[in-house]
Amino acid sequence: MARALIIVDVQKDFCPGGSLATERGNEVAGKIGAFQQSHARDYDAVVATQDWHIDPGEHFSDTPDYKDSWPVHCAANTEGAAMNEHINTDTIDEFFRKGHYTAAYSGFEGTATSEDLLLAPWLKGRDVTEVDIVGIATDHCVRATTLDALKEGFTVRVLTSMCSAVSFEAGDRALEEMHEAGAILV
Ligand code: VGL
């Protein structure tokens, strides 16, 4: 039995200054960085997901609806796709990238950068049964990652003070939905 921390999409484009900034992105990134410093030893594994778009079709739009279509963000190998500078990348065991050619909100769609393995088998291969989830955006990728983690059978805690939403209202609704699906909100 092991526990993992999943850091969802804490990338520059989702933080103030980026192309699809969430208001609390930098603040949340700072909190996660400090949490890594103080709590990394509580986890058997720390992983991060990254939105990593090459040509995601209608996920990008010049006239985005901010629901199913978005301004260009997290283009592969650009500065905007890099992790926010507050994140301590040295303590991250593996990065999982998703969304190369399509929208991909869940980290469980992500493939490891150092081997051809999806997030769920990577975690299960390390006997992980419990995951703590933090990151961006509460109402999109944190939501989808949390719901998939529950479907995969993990015990899931969402550390809510370290999550940043696109819309505060939708973020609160998403947390409610995650709770109803079985996630523990901390
Ligand atoms: C995300 C909107 C569009 C996210 C990704 O990481 O939550 N949000 N693409």
Side-chain angles (χ1 to χ4, degrees):
M1 196 176 105
R3 176 191 283 177
L5 177 66
I6 303 177
I7 301 170
V8 176
D9 296 11
V10 185
Q11 293 164 272
K12 291 184 181 178
D13 269 345
F14 295 133
C15 300
S19 67
L20 182 40
T22 60
E23 201 175 310
R24 294 186 58 234
N26 285 330
E27 176 200 337
V28 156
K31 283 187 183 174
I32 294 170
F35 183 77
Q36 287 181 280
Q37 198 86 343
S38 55
H39 285 76
R41 275 179 226 89
D42 295 350
Y43 294 97
D44 302 289
V46 178
V47 301
T49 68
Q50 290 179 296
D51 226 16
W52 201 260
H53 295 309
I54 296 168
D55 181 7
E58 290 170 6
H59 188 59
F60 283 172
S61 171
D62 295 332
T63 53
D65 66 8
Y66 291 87
K67 211 176 128 265
D68 299 310
S69 61
W70 307 89
V72 172
H73 60 276
C74 300
N77 297 308
T78 63
E79 192 59 20
M83 300 299 289
N84 179 288
E85 55 277 5
H86 292 300
I87 299 300
N88 179 356
T89 52
D90 293 344
T91 66
I92 294 174
D93 297 302
E94 184 60 278
F95 291 86
F96 291 84
R97 291 177 175 167
K98 60 189 172 63
H100 297 64
Y101 296 103
T102 175
Y105 294 100
S106 169
F108 284 87
E109 296 175 71
T111 303
T113 53
S114 62
E115 60 182 320
D116 188 17
L117 198 57
L118 290 163
L119 178 54
W122 191 95
L123 292 169
K124 288 176 183 178
R126 285 162 180 75
D127 297 325
V128 171
T129 54
E130 299 179 9
V131 297
D132 285 356
I133 297 179
V134 299
I136 308 174
T138 319
D139 34 352
H140 298 283
C141 290
V142 170
R143 170 186 175 275
T145 303
T146 297
L147 296 178
D148 273 356
L150 291 164
K151 278 184 207 139
E152 289 285 351
F154 295 104
T155 299
V156 184
R157 301 197 307 174
V158 180
L159 310 185
T160 58
S161 71
M162 286 181 272
C163 295
S164 176
V166 171
S167 140
F168 289 128
E169 226 178 37
D172 287 346
R173 273 202 308 274
L175 287 172
E176 185 65 26
E177 184 185 358
M178 293 180 243
H179 175 67
E180 276 164 18
I184 300 154
L185 305 185
V186 180

PDB file of all heavy atoms in Angstrom, residues 5 14 44 46 62 67 79 92 97 119 129 140 143 162 168-169 171 173 177-178:
ATOM      1  N   LEU A   5       1.190  11.709  -4.554  1.00  0.00           N
ATOM      2  CA  LEU A   5       0.698  13.071  -4.766  1.00  0.00           C
ATOM      3  C   LEU A   5       0.634  13.309  -6.275  1.00  0.00           C
ATOM      4  O   LEU A   5       1.619  13.053  -6.982  1.00  0.00           O
ATOM      5  CB  LEU A   5       1.652  14.083  -4.127  1.00  0.00           C
ATOM      6  CG  LEU A   5       1.308  15.569  -4.338  1.00  0.00           C
ATOM      7  CD1 LEU A   5       0.008  15.939  -3.626  1.00  0.00           C
ATOM      8  CD2 LEU A   5       2.455  16.461  -3.836  1.00  0.00           C
ATOM      9  N   PHE A  14      -1.520  28.424 -17.249  1.00  0.00           N
ATOM     10  CA  PHE A  14      -2.708  28.410 -16.389  1.00  0.00           C
ATOM     11  C   PHE A  14      -2.550  29.332 -15.172  1.00  0.00           C
ATOM     12  O   PHE A  14      -3.379  29.330 -14.270  1.00  0.00           O
ATOM     13  CB  PHE A  14      -3.016  26.986 -15.918  1.00  0.00           C
ATOM     14  CG  PHE A  14      -3.408  26.044 -17.029  1.00  0.00           C
ATOM     15  CD1 PHE A  14      -2.836  24.783 -17.126  1.00  0.00           C
ATOM     16  CD2 PHE A  14      -4.358  26.409 -17.968  1.00  0.00           C
ATOM     17  CE1 PHE A  14      -3.195  23.910 -18.145  1.00  0.00           C
ATOM     18  CE2 PHE A  14      -4.730  25.552 -18.992  1.00  0.00           C
ATOM     19  CZ  PHE A  14      -4.146  24.295 -19.076  1.00  0.00           C
ATOM     20  N   ASP A  44       5.006   8.150  -1.316  1.00  0.00           N
ATOM     21  CA  ASP A  44       5.885   7.152  -1.943  1.00  0.00           C
ATOM     22  C   ASP A  44       6.205   7.552  -3.379  1.00  0.00           C
ATOM     23  O   ASP A  44       7.198   7.097  -3.945  1.00  0.00           O
ATOM     24  CB  ASP A  44       5.194   5.791  -1.908  1.00  0.00           C
ATOM     25  CG  ASP A  44       4.860   5.403  -0.474  1.00  0.00           C
ATOM     26  OD1 ASP A  44       5.790   5.101   0.281  1.00  0.00           O
ATOM     27  OD2 ASP A  44       3.669   5.455  -0.085  1.00  0.00           O
ATOM     28  N   VAL A  46       5.597  11.090  -6.246  1.00  0.00           N
ATOM     29  CA  VAL A  46       5.035  12.392  -6.600  1.00  0.00           C
ATOM     30  C   VAL A  46       5.054  12.484  -8.117  1.00  0.00           C
ATOM     31  O   VAL A  46       6.107  12.305  -8.747  1.00  0.00           O
ATOM     32  CB  VAL A  46       5.856  13.553  -5.988  1.00  0.00           C
ATOM     33  CG1 VAL A  46       5.263  14.899  -6.413  1.00  0.00           C
ATOM     34  CG2 VAL A  46       5.905  13.450  -4.466  1.00  0.00           C
ATOM     35  N   ASP A  62      -9.963  30.663 -31.938  1.00  0.00           N
ATOM     36  CA  ASP A  62      -9.774  32.114 -31.890  1.00  0.00           C
ATOM     37  C   ASP A  62     -10.972  32.788 -31.240  1.00  0.00           C
ATOM     38  O   ASP A  62     -10.896  33.941 -30.827  1.00  0.00           O
ATOM     39  CB  ASP A  62      -9.577  32.682 -33.311  1.00  0.00           C
ATOM     40  CG  ASP A  62      -8.291  32.167 -33.931  1.00  0.00           C
ATOM     41  OD1 ASP A  62      -7.347  31.851 -33.166  1.00  0.00           O
ATOM     42  OD2 ASP A  62      -8.225  32.061 -35.175  1.00  0.00           O
ATOM     43  N   LYS A  67     -15.415  26.682 -22.436  1.00  0.00           N
ATOM     44  CA  LYS A  67     -16.101  25.513 -21.908  1.00  0.00           C
ATOM     45  C   LYS A  67     -15.540  24.292 -22.633  1.00  0.00           C
ATOM     46  O   LYS A  67     -15.000  23.380 -22.023  1.00  0.00           O
ATOM     47  CB  LYS A  67     -17.609  25.647 -22.167  1.00  0.00           C
ATOM     48  CG  LYS A  67     -18.471  25.001 -21.124  1.00  0.00           C
ATOM     49  CD  LYS A  67     -19.947  25.272 -21.399  1.00  0.00           C
ATOM     50  CE  LYS A  67     -20.747  23.990 -21.406  1.00  0.00           C
ATOM     51  NZ  LYS A  67     -20.947  23.419 -22.748  1.00  0.00           N
ATOM     52  N   GLU A  79       7.287  27.774 -23.483  1.00  0.00           N
ATOM     53  CA  GLU A  79       7.420  28.255 -22.101  1.00  0.00           C
ATOM     54  C   GLU A  79       6.090  28.121 -21.350  1.00  0.00           C
ATOM     55  O   GLU A  79       6.068  27.801 -20.167  1.00  0.00           O
ATOM     56  CB  GLU A  79       7.881  29.723 -22.154  1.00  0.00           C
ATOM     57  CG  GLU A  79       8.347  30.315 -20.852  1.00  0.00           C
ATOM     58  CD  GLU A  79       9.519  29.583 -20.220  1.00  0.00           C
ATOM     59  OE1 GLU A  79      10.240  28.840 -20.921  1.00  0.00           O
ATOM     60  OE2 GLU A  79       9.686  29.739 -18.996  1.00  0.00           O
ATOM     61  N   ILE A  92       9.718  15.494  -8.326  1.00  0.00           N
ATOM     62  CA  ILE A  92       8.682  14.823  -9.125  1.00  0.00           C
ATOM     63  C   ILE A  92       9.279  13.581  -9.789  1.00  0.00           C
ATOM     64  O   ILE A  92      10.290  13.666 -10.487  1.00  0.00           O
ATOM     65  CB  ILE A  92       8.090  15.813 -10.155  1.00  0.00           C
ATOM     66  CG1 ILE A  92       7.330  16.918  -9.388  1.00  0.00           C
ATOM     67  CG2 ILE A  92       7.160  15.082 -11.127  1.00  0.00           C
ATOM     68  CD1 ILE A  92       6.812  18.044 -10.253  1.00  0.00           C
ATOM     69  N   ARG A  97       2.161  13.468 -19.800  1.00  0.00           N
ATOM     70  CA  ARG A  97       1.703  14.484 -20.753  1.00  0.00           C
ATOM     71  C   ARG A  97       0.504  13.973 -21.540  1.00  0.00           C
ATOM     72  O   ARG A  97       0.428  12.791 -21.871  1.00  0.00           O
ATOM     73  CB  ARG A  97       2.860  14.862 -21.677  1.00  0.00           C
ATOM     74  CG  ARG A  97       3.921  15.610 -20.898  1.00  0.00           C
ATOM     75  CD  ARG A  97       5.120  15.942 -21.737  1.00  0.00           C
ATOM     76  NE  ARG A  97       6.054  16.752 -20.961  1.00  0.00           N
ATOM     77  CZ  ARG A  97       7.308  17.009 -21.304  1.00  0.00           C
ATOM     78  NH1 ARG A  97       7.790  16.519 -22.434  1.00  0.00           N
ATOM     79  NH2 ARG A  97       8.076  17.753 -20.531  1.00  0.00           N
ATOM     80  N   LEU A 119      -0.920   6.768 -16.640  1.00  0.00           N
ATOM     81  CA  LEU A 119      -0.810   7.072 -15.208  1.00  0.00           C
ATOM     82  C   LEU A 119      -1.319   5.932 -14.308  1.00  0.00           C
ATOM     83  O   LEU A 119      -0.659   5.586 -13.321  1.00  0.00           O
ATOM     84  CB  LEU A 119      -1.558   8.379 -14.903  1.00  0.00           C
ATOM     85  CG  LEU A 119      -1.604   8.838 -13.453  1.00  0.00           C
ATOM     86  CD1 LEU A 119      -0.212   8.946 -12.837  1.00  0.00           C
ATOM     87  CD2 LEU A 119      -2.331  10.188 -13.344  1.00  0.00           C
ATOM     88  N   THR A 129      -2.371   2.965  -3.673  1.00  0.00           N
ATOM     89  CA  THR A 129      -3.816   2.784  -3.501  1.00  0.00           C
ATOM     90  C   THR A 129      -4.491   4.097  -3.111  1.00  0.00           C
ATOM     91  O   THR A 129      -5.710   4.219  -3.204  1.00  0.00           O
ATOM     92  CB  THR A 129      -4.120   1.743  -2.406  1.00  0.00           C
ATOM     93  OG1 THR A 129      -3.445   2.135  -1.203  1.00  0.00           O
ATOM     94  CG2 THR A 129      -3.643   0.359  -2.820  1.00  0.00           C
ATOM     95  N   HIS A 140     -11.923  21.777 -14.278  1.00  0.00           N
ATOM     96  CA  HIS A 140     -11.655  21.039 -15.525  1.00  0.00           C
ATOM     97  C   HIS A 140     -10.723  19.855 -15.262  1.00  0.00           C
ATOM     98  O   HIS A 140     -11.184  18.738 -15.060  1.00  0.00           O
ATOM     99  CB  HIS A 140     -11.141  22.000 -16.603  1.00  0.00           C
ATOM    100  CG  HIS A 140     -12.156  23.042 -16.940  1.00  0.00           C
ATOM    101  ND1 HIS A 140     -13.235  22.778 -17.741  1.00  0.00           N
ATOM    102  CD2 HIS A 140     -12.296  24.324 -16.515  1.00  0.00           C
ATOM    103  CE1 HIS A 140     -14.010  23.846 -17.811  1.00  0.00           C
ATOM    104  NE2 HIS A 140     -13.455  24.797 -17.081  1.00  0.00           N
ATOM    105  N   ARG A 143     -10.933  18.185 -11.736  1.00  0.00           N
ATOM    106  CA  ARG A 143     -12.213  17.445 -11.692  1.00  0.00           C
ATOM    107  C   ARG A 143     -12.093  16.119 -12.449  1.00  0.00           C
ATOM    108  O   ARG A 143     -12.399  15.048 -11.914  1.00  0.00           O
ATOM    109  CB  ARG A 143     -13.316  18.316 -12.296  1.00  0.00           C
ATOM    110  CG  ARG A 143     -14.612  17.599 -12.520  1.00  0.00           C
ATOM    111  CD  ARG A 143     -15.626  18.486 -13.260  1.00  0.00           C
ATOM    112  NE  ARG A 143     -16.821  17.729 -13.560  1.00  0.00           N
ATOM    113  CZ  ARG A 143     -16.958  16.955 -14.645  1.00  0.00           C
ATOM    114  NH1 ARG A 143     -15.977  16.862 -15.523  1.00  0.00           N
ATOM    115  NH2 ARG A 143     -18.064  16.279 -14.833  1.00  0.00           N
ATOM    116  N   MET A 162      -5.097  23.965  -2.424  1.00  0.00           N
ATOM    117  CA  MET A 162      -4.039  23.946  -3.435  1.00  0.00           C
ATOM    118  C   MET A 162      -4.609  23.654  -4.828  1.00  0.00           C
ATOM    119  O   MET A 162      -3.934  23.072  -5.674  1.00  0.00           O
ATOM    120  CB  MET A 162      -2.973  22.921  -3.040  1.00  0.00           C
ATOM    121  CG  MET A 162      -2.119  23.424  -1.875  1.00  0.00           C
ATOM    122  SD  MET A 162      -0.842  22.277  -1.394  1.00  0.00           S
ATOM    123  CE  MET A 162      -1.744  21.287  -0.212  1.00  0.00           C
ATOM    124  N   PHE A 168     -14.729  30.522 -10.141  1.00  0.00           N
ATOM    125  CA  PHE A 168     -14.899  30.147  -8.729  1.00  0.00           C
ATOM    126  C   PHE A 168     -16.172  29.341  -8.530  1.00  0.00           C
ATOM    127  O   PHE A 168     -16.201  28.348  -7.814  1.00  0.00           O
ATOM    128  CB  PHE A 168     -14.932  31.389  -7.830  1.00  0.00           C
ATOM    129  CG  PHE A 168     -13.600  32.076  -7.710  1.00  0.00           C
ATOM    130  CD1 PHE A 168     -13.475  33.426  -7.946  1.00  0.00           C
ATOM    131  CD2 PHE A 168     -12.461  31.359  -7.355  1.00  0.00           C
ATOM    132  CE1 PHE A 168     -12.245  34.068  -7.840  1.00  0.00           C
ATOM    133  CE2 PHE A 168     -11.221  31.981  -7.251  1.00  0.00           C
ATOM    134  CZ  PHE A 168     -11.119  33.344  -7.498  1.00  0.00           C
ATOM    135  N   GLU A 169     -17.249  29.788  -9.191  1.00  0.00           N
ATOM    136  CA  GLU A 169     -18.542  29.112  -9.054  1.00  0.00           C
ATOM    137  C   GLU A 169     -18.475  27.676  -9.584  1.00  0.00           C
ATOM    138  O   GLU A 169     -18.911  26.742  -8.913  1.00  0.00           O
ATOM    139  CB  GLU A 169     -19.575  29.890  -9.858  1.00  0.00           C
ATOM    140  CG  GLU A 169     -20.846  30.125  -9.123  1.00  0.00           C
ATOM    141  CD  GLU A 169     -21.803  30.948  -9.974  1.00  0.00           C
ATOM    142  OE1 GLU A 169     -21.844  30.743 -11.210  1.00  0.00           O
ATOM    143  OE2 GLU A 169     -22.503  31.786  -9.389  1.00  0.00           O
ATOM    144  N   GLY A 171     -15.829  25.969  -9.979  1.00  0.00           N
ATOM    145  CA  GLY A 171     -14.885  25.241  -9.126  1.00  0.00           C
ATOM    146  C   GLY A 171     -15.588  24.653  -7.910  1.00  0.00           C
ATOM    147  O   GLY A 171     -15.381  23.494  -7.555  1.00  0.00           O
ATOM    148  N   ARG A 173     -18.786  24.010  -7.642  1.00  0.00           N
ATOM    149  CA  ARG A 173     -19.690  22.945  -8.118  1.00  0.00           C
ATOM    150  C   ARG A 173     -18.908  21.662  -8.398  1.00  0.00           C
ATOM    151  O   ARG A 173     -19.357  20.563  -8.071  1.00  0.00           O
ATOM    152  CB  ARG A 173     -20.398  23.394  -9.413  1.00  0.00           C
ATOM    153  CG  ARG A 173     -21.676  24.174  -9.191  1.00  0.00           C
ATOM    154  CD  ARG A 173     -22.584  24.117 -10.434  1.00  0.00           C
ATOM    155  NE  ARG A 173     -21.908  24.500 -11.667  1.00  0.00           N
ATOM    156  CZ  ARG A 173     -21.786  25.754 -12.109  1.00  0.00           C
ATOM    157  NH1 ARG A 173     -22.312  26.749 -11.419  1.00  0.00           N
ATOM    158  NH2 ARG A 173     -21.153  26.021 -13.239  1.00  0.00           N
ATOM    159  N   GLU A 177     -19.262  17.892  -6.797  1.00  0.00           N
ATOM    160  CA  GLU A 177     -19.416  16.695  -7.645  1.00  0.00           C
ATOM    161  C   GLU A 177     -18.354  15.644  -7.285  1.00  0.00           C
ATOM    162  O   GLU A 177     -18.650  14.449  -7.183  1.00  0.00           O
ATOM    163  CB  GLU A 177     -19.289  17.110  -9.113  1.00  0.00           C
ATOM    164  CG  GLU A 177     -19.517  15.979 -10.095  1.00  0.00           C
ATOM    165  CD  GLU A 177     -19.261  16.412 -11.542  1.00  0.00           C
ATOM    166  OE1 GLU A 177     -18.946  17.610 -11.775  1.00  0.00           O
ATOM    167  OE2 GLU A 177     -19.363  15.543 -12.428  1.00  0.00           O
ATOM    168  N   MET A 178     -17.118  16.082  -7.065  1.00  0.00           N
ATOM    169  CA  MET A 178     -16.043  15.146  -6.695  1.00  0.00           C
ATOM    170  C   MET A 178     -16.351  14.488  -5.346  1.00  0.00           C
ATOM    171  O   MET A 178     -16.158  13.296  -5.164  1.00  0.00           O
ATOM    172  CB  MET A 178     -14.698  15.889  -6.630  1.00  0.00           C
ATOM    173  CG  MET A 178     -14.204  16.386  -7.974  1.00  0.00           C
ATOM    174  SD  MET A 178     -12.611  17.245  -7.816  1.00  0.00           S
ATOM    175  CE  MET A 178     -13.012  18.888  -8.330  1.00  0.00           C
TER     176      MET A 178
END
